[in-house]
Amino acid sequence: MAINIAPKSLDTELSELMRDVATGKAQLPEFQRSWTWDDNRIIGILASLSQGYPMGAIMRLAYGNENVKFKYRTFEGVSVLGVVPDYLVLDGQQRLTSMYRAACSKEPVNTTTEKGKNIKRYYYLDINKCLDESEDREDAVFSVPDDRKIKTNFDREIILDLSTKELEYEHEMFPLNIVFDSSTREDWADGYKEYHGYSKDYMEKYKQFRADVLDVITGYKLPVITLDKDTPREAVCKVFENVNTGGVPLTVFELVTATFATYEFDLRKDWEACRDIIRGKNETLNTDVMHGVDETAFLTAVTLFTTYHADTMTTCKKKDVLSLRFDDYQKNKSTLLEGYKLARKFLFSQYVFRMRDLPYTTQLIPLAAICAEIGKSVFNKPQTQNILSKWFWCGIMGEMYGGANETRFANDIEDVVAAIKGKDSLNRTVNAAYFSATRLVSLQTRNSAAYKGIMALVYRERCHDFVKGTTIDIVKSMDEAPDIHHIFPESYCIKMNYKREKWNSIINKTPLLPESNRLVGGEAPSVYIKRIMRKAEIDENELQSRVESHLINYEYFSTDDFDNYFISRAKSLMKAIETAMGKTIADKSSEQTINIYGVTLED
């Protein structure tokens, strides 16, 4: 059913809006972002304001609807307490706060530089520059530190001092934070004229400044769109969806936060508690593998699980997350958190221990929902683990989760749960997954999911570090931080004029600890293996065992036979991929494969 609303629009004087902000008549919904504008953006809006340039409409909601019980807070810099607002500002916080702090508050503005450094500032208008048509108005707005002194040479030299009214008069710098205080403004004008001996030139200059600049500011009007207090909650949330705050759209999480706030529920605080559980904060083995799960992903997983149990179709698109009912969130949240715990355990079983090694954070959405649905006892069954593993690796090696994935998420929970329960399953992700033999050569950086997935498969082969001989488990992965390095070193390959597309591909890379990588250096394997044996105090048989655990043919490797080594390792990696996916790589003898590798990759 469509929701019709008829907002009212009225041009309103900025001075009135500033009074509403100062008295608490206008406040903000508690879920709104904090004020974030930096010094340069404040200067920009003050320059626009002083010239009467339009700056967009303000949108507000008349407060008082019993069915829309938003918590509220005053604008930053406003100290009134216990005031019930007449209006909640939905769009315009950044602009109104910037103008209130700079043009109304007697306290310095707490803002930041472009680089995020915290600073305190007062703002002034240079009278002469404001009246000079050749000057850019932004150059006429001065941002001055809270001691009202602009300094240079590491603060040793003062280049502009405005710390007294007399110095303001001398430099003809008008303090913007008195512009809406008519009495103080006129007192300042009288002092300015007196300081300059009531000179006709200075009096005419101020008169022109007042007419061309100050009156423009004090008479400035903004279009204000007001939603009636009887606007239904669904319509208010739809407005939030379309609102653009300071150039940054509200997220799905913030929109749902707005909806849940009508139930006197703080979703943001609740998410913080959920986040700690998802990340395993209090677990014995604590890694960062789940740190990529954000609040929106969690809501998407809850929605996926919820719609799976509903009479309607399984779905978790943005509109579905926005429609998530509070009761359903409360009902299903704990089950989903248990699902995330099992998902985390499953990742460890697949030798994915760190966030940087996780191929797809997005794949955790259906994984958590699937685990939540099947529960711990079914999850622990070997058959369940096999089904999950095949689906997981097909999704990764088929590179299935790189775009809009909501439809795939819905397919996944339906198909994988059906398979686990022994029912007919379409297995859409598994059946659609395809890995090409030629893809190995194109995997050059860790940015792709398949790249990370192949490294996890090498871990899963229980590869041993060349020097330490240790296998990578959950503890070592966090403690010693293995990284991906070339097997035939880059500088050696360049010297030998090998093709970059081959030596820089994943076929020539493997996970090693820092000490092993240092000993590899830039020389041929036949050279650096001797250094490794001396350092590790092992014989060649032991070294061979360690090297071969990385799916490397030791004979080709130790004799610097790059071409045969390259083909052999490509075949070994493909076998590991086929085992993980439960599928055969179909193009190992294709014309394109032979063109790239020089030979067929069939055994």
Side-chain angles (χ1 to χ4, degrees), residues 150-379:
I150 297 179
K151 304 168 187 174
T152 189
N153 194 18
F154 301 101
D155 289 346
R156 288 194 287 264
E157 180 181 348
I158 298 174
I159 58 175
L160 179 63
D161 188 347
L162 302 175
S163 58
T164 67
K165 285 186 178 180
E166 288 71 25
L167 290 169
E168 292 174 350
Y169 302 149
E170 176 188 344
H171 295 292
E172 298 182 84
M173 300 288 284
F174 179 84
L176 257 168
N177 65 352
I178 67 170
V179 68
F180 288 107
D181 185 340
S182 58
S183 176
T184 304
R185 185 180 68 240
E186 290 310 309
D187 286 344
W188 192 94
D190 290 341
Y192 170 83
K193 296 169 188 175
E194 180 181 3
Y195 181 86
H196 291 287
Y198 297 101
S199 161
K200 182 179 180 180
D201 289 342
Y202 281 96
M203 292 178 69
E204 284 297 321
K205 184 191 296 184
Y206 186 81
K207 181 179 179 181
Q208 184 183 353
F209 174 69
R210 182 179 63 197
D212 293 353
V213 180
L214 299 185
D215 289 351
V216 170
I217 296 174
T218 57
Y220 191 91
K221 292 184 178 182
L222 286 88
V224 176
I225 301 170
T226 303
L227 301 180
D228 187 86
K229 70 178 180 180
D230 294 325
T231 302
R233 174 165 58 89
E234 294 83 357
V236 174
C237 292
K238 186 62 179 176
V239 169
F240 292 151
E241 183 179 358
N242 296 324
V243 157
N244 194 325
T245 302
V248 183
L250 291 169
T251 66
V252 169
F253 178 77
E254 289 166 319
L255 302 176
V256 179
T257 298
T259 305
F260 287 6
T262 64
Y263 298 93
E264 297 291 331
F265 182 79
D266 189 340
L267 181 59
R268 183 173 286 104
K269 184 176 181 180
D270 191 64
W271 157 246
E272 290 173 357
C274 293
R275 180 185 60 200
D276 288 345
I277 294 172
I278 291 170
R279 293 183 177 181
K281 183 178 179 180
N282 297 318
E283 299 291 333
T284 303
L285 295 174
N286 192 0
T287 84
D288 67 349
V289 71
M290 304 295 276
H291 284 205
V293 178
D294 62 17
E295 54 269 50
T296 299
F298 177 59
L299 287 180
T300 303
V302 174
T303 303
L304 179 64
F305 181 82
T306 299
T307 60
Y308 176 76
H309 283 273
D311 295 332
T312 56
M313 66 181 292
T314 305
T315 180
C316 59
K317 296 182 184 295
K318 180 179 179 181
K319 64 181 180 60
D320 305 306
V321 180
L322 290 171
S323 300
L324 179 64
R325 296 191 311 162
F326 175 69
D327 290 345
D328 286 331
Y329 175 79
Q330 290 287 64
K331 175 184 176 182
N332 295 324
K333 175 185 68 176
S334 296
T335 305
L336 250 295
L337 291 174
E338 291 301 314
Y340 271 105
K341 289 181 181 178
L342 295 177
R344 181 171 172 268
K345 181 179 179 181
F346 175 77
L347 291 180
F348 294 162
S349 74
Q350 303 303 306
Y351 281 72
V352 177
F353 305 125
R354 303 180 298 177
M355 186 173 71
R356 66 178 297 185
D357 299 327
L358 177 64
Y360 286 117
T361 301
T362 49
Q363 199 177 10
L364 297 182
I365 293 172
L367 177 59
I370 291 165
C371 291
E373 173 61 23
I374 62 178
K376 187 175 182 179
S377 60
V378 174
F379 171 86

Side-chain angles (χ1 to χ4, degrees), residues 32 38 50 90 107 111 119 161 166 168 172 179 196 207 223 316 337 398 400 437 455 517 535 583:
Q32 283 274 39
D38 63 27
S50 71
L90 307 181
E107 298 297 322
T111 183
I119 55 174
D161 188 347
E166 288 71 25
E168 292 174 350
E172 298 182 84
V179 68
H196 291 287
K207 181 179 179 181
C316 59
L337 291 174
M400 313 285 273
M455 285 301 104
N517 182 54
K535 178 67 177 180
K583 303 179 77 168

Side-chain angles (χ1 to χ4, degrees), residues 370-602:
I370 291 165
C371 291
E373 173 61 23
I374 62 178
K376 187 175 182 179
S377 60
V378 174
F379 171 86
N380 286 328
K381 293 181 178 179
Q383 182 181 357
T384 300
Q385 290 296 303
N386 290 336
I387 293 170
L388 281 175
S389 180
K390 183 176 180 179
W391 162 78
F392 181 71
W393 288 107
C394 281
I396 292 168
M397 303 316 302
E399 298 181 276
M400 313 285 273
Y401 295 89
N405 301 301
E406 293 85 357
T407 299
R408 185 166 302 283
F409 297 163
N411 294 344
D412 287 340
I413 190 171
E414 292 175 351
D415 295 351
V416 178
V417 170
I420 289 172
K421 292 183 177 180
K423 299 179 180 179
D424 290 338
S425 173
L426 294 175
N427 284 322
R428 281 162 283 193
T429 292
V430 171
N431 290 335
Y434 175 80
F435 186 85
S436 171
T438 61
R439 182 69 175 117
L440 281 177
V441 176
S442 66
L443 291 172
Q444 301 276 321
T445 69
R446 69 170 67 247
N447 294 331
S448 72
Y451 185 105
K452 295 179 180 179
I454 290 171
M455 285 301 104
L457 290 178
V458 176
Y459 286 140
R460 204 168 74 153
E461 293 290 327
R462 299 191 61 78
C463 62
H464 291 68
D465 181 66
F466 288 178
V467 173
K468 292 194 173 182
T470 55
T471 57
I472 300 303
D473 58 23
I474 184 173
V475 176
K476 295 185 181 71
S477 72
M478 298 304 294
D479 182 45
E480 299 182 291
D483 206 350
I484 311 305
H485 299 291
H486 292 93
I487 299 167
F488 277 67
E490 177 178 353
S491 57
Y492 171 77
C493 291
I494 293 173
K495 182 176 67 174
M496 298 300 293
N497 203 30
Y498 296 147
K499 290 183 178 179
R500 180 181 178 85
E501 67 175 7
K502 288 188 174 182
W503 64 254
N504 197 48
S505 74
I506 199 167
I507 300 171
N508 188 42
K509 294 176 182 177
T510 205
L512 295 172
L513 294 174
E515 186 175 15
S516 291
N517 182 54
R518 286 194 296 271
L519 289 174
V520 166
E523 297 177 283
S526 61
V527 176
Y528 73 69
I529 60 175
K530 296 174 183 177
R531 288 198 295 265
I532 290 174
M533 286 188 287
R534 286 196 299 271
K535 178 67 177 180
E537 298 181 345
I538 56 175
D539 59 23
E540 190 166 9
N541 287 334
E542 174 59 25
L543 177 63
Q544 179 175 346
S545 174
R546 295 179 185 184
V547 170
E548 289 178 345
S549 72
H550 290 252
L551 306 179
I552 296 169
N553 181 294
Y554 185 77
E555 180 182 351
Y556 298 144
F557 164 80
S558 61
T559 57
D560 306 331
D561 185 350
F562 179 81
D563 290 335
N564 280 317
Y565 145 82
F566 187 82
I567 298 300
S568 174
R569 189 147 198 267
K571 290 180 178 180
S572 295
L573 291 177
M574 281 191 283
K575 286 180 181 177
I577 293 168
E578 288 176 327
T579 299
M581 295 178 69
K583 303 179 77 168
T584 300
I585 296 173
D587 67 337
K588 289 186 286 188
S589 295
S590 71
E591 182 178 347
Q592 187 177 8
T593 298
I594 294 173
N595 286 339
I596 290 176
Y597 290 93
V599 295
T600 176
L601 295 182
E602 295 283 4

Side-chain angles (χ1 to χ4, degrees), residues 124-141:
Y124 283 83
L125 290 176
D126 184 315
I127 294 174
N128 291 305
K129 287 188 175 183
C130 283
L131 298 178
D132 187 343
E133 292 183 359
S134 67
E135 289 281 356
D136 189 312
R137 184 55 60 87
E138 287 196 14
D139 293 334
V141 181

Side-chain angles (χ1 to χ4, degrees), residues 142-154:
F142 277 67
S143 169
V144 179
D146 56 340
D147 64 358
R148 301 182 191 262
K149 297 175 183 178
I150 297 179
K151 304 168 187 174
T152 189
N153 194 18
F154 301 101

